[in-house]
């Protein structure tokens, strides 16, 4: 139970680090060069990845809330 939460937590940290260091930096670079189409595409990608991270976070809450019954 604790291991499931810890593994999911680390996966969430890695996803956040990926979002920050790859698409977010590229989006800022695209905005700096006024390439709004590419920035919009990257923002859409970031939103999808953040949604996946949110789902992982909610599953951590479910696992923690279910306690010994899971």
């Amino acid at each position: 139970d604790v291991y499931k939460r810890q593994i999911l937590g680390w996966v969430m940290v890695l996803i956040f680090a990926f979002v920050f260091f790859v698409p977010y930096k590229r989006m800022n670079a695209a905005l700096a060069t006024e390439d709004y189409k590419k920035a919009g595409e990257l923002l859409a990608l970031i939103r999808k990845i953040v949604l996946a991270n949110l789902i992982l976070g909610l599953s951590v809450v479910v696992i923690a809330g279910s306690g010994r019954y899971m």
Side-chain angles (χ1 to χ4, degrees):
D1 188 42
V2 174
Y3 297 114
K4 291 178 191 175
R5 290 184 306 214
Q6 189 172 20
I7 289 170
L8 287 176
W10 279 108
V11 169
M12 290 175 63
V13 168
L14 292 174
I15 289 173
F16 175 80
F18 171 77
V19 167
F20 182 75
F21 288 110
V22 180
Y24 180 72
K25 297 270 184 181
R26 290 181 186 167
M27 185 185 73
N28 281 338
L31 287 172
T33 61
E34 297 182 0
D35 187 0
Y36 298 118
K37 182 179 178 187
K38 182 171 175 123
E41 293 169 358
L42 289 165
L43 182 60
L45 174 65
I46 290 170
R47 289 181 66 197
K48 289 177 187 174
I49 296 171
V50 168
L51 176 63
N53 217 12
L54 174 66
I55 292 169
L56 282 174
L58 291 174
S59 46
V60 168
V61 170
V62 168
I63 290 170
S66 64
R68 62 182 172 170
Y69 302 110
M70 189 162 191

